[in-house]
Amino acid sequence: MELTTPVPERKLGPYPLDEDGIASLLARYAFGDSCLRRVILDQEYGPRARRGRVVQLVIDARVVSDELRWEPVCLDLVDVRRFRIDESVGFSWVLYDPPQFTHFDGLLQVDLCAERFDGPPPVSSEEVFEGSELVFAAAGGTWSALHPWAQ
């Protein structure tokens, strides 16, 4: 039996997590004190499994252009090759900085604990993974603005 509130439907998007899509995501949302609300892992098995592991991240963030109104935003990552999810302190993940997006070894690295990089950006995927508690490496992905959560 599913006891959690379903993830809201898309309102805007999906937009690719390419250079322009990432820039528009980071311009639309203020991620300081945002909350990672859901991590949904999906894996296909068998001969028809073409897309690999899919990860959906739902984050409650503030819309910069709309008086910092809270809005759920979803990152859909496809063909996730590697990820790390350490246990959070408390009941949920609070994001203090925007996600950091980098490319190494032909994969998109999405680091949700980017506040640890106060200096130069990471130089390898190992550097991203060794210090992060919440990071994903995927072939690609999209982002979408979602409707508000059901009450």
Side-chain angles (χ1 to χ4, degrees):
M1 173 174 16
E2 179 68 38
L3 299 175
T4 58
T5 305
V7 173
E9 296 292 320
R10 281 187 175 90
K11 179 169 69 171
L12 299 171
Y15 304 106
L17 284 174
D18 58 12
E19 190 173 312
D20 292 335
I22 292 169
S24 64
L25 170 72
L26 297 177
R28 179 176 174 84
Y29 294 103
F31 284 93
D33 294 331
S34 61
C35 177
L36 178 63
R37 187 90 170 250
R38 295 276 166 79
V39 176
I40 301 167
L41 303 171
D42 182 24
Q43 174 72 52
E44 287 185 355
Y45 296 99
R48 293 183 184 256
R50 294 191 230 293
R51 66 184 179 142
R53 178 176 281 138
V54 176
V55 173
Q56 187 177 59
L57 305 169
V58 181
I59 302 167
D60 288 334
R62 294 200 180 260
V63 181
V64 173
S65 64
D66 194 6
E67 299 179 3
L68 297 177
R69 164 184 62 80
W70 288 103
E71 178 175 80
V73 59
C74 182
L75 304 180
D76 291 299
L77 306 177
V78 295
D79 197 8
V80 175
R81 310 280 176 87
R82 183 177 179 194
F83 65 92
R84 179 176 178 179
I85 303 172
D86 288 352
E87 208 171 314
S88 69
V89 178
F91 69 95
S92 65
W93 279 99
V94 175
L95 307 182
Y96 299 105
D97 287 315
Q100 182 173 14
F101 298 91
T102 54
H103 285 88
F104 296 107
D105 306 322
L107 296 175
L108 172 67
Q109 318 287 319
V110 181
D111 185 357
L112 299 175
C113 293
E115 67 271 4
R116 65 196 168 86
F117 288 112
D118 289 334
V123 296
S124 70
S125 63
E126 288 308 312
E127 187 178 350
V128 174
F129 271 86
E130 74 185 17
S132 184
E133 297 171 337
L134 192 57
V135 61
F136 303 84
T142 61
W143 72 271
S144 303
L146 305 178
H147 287 283
W149 290 94
Q151 298 295 330

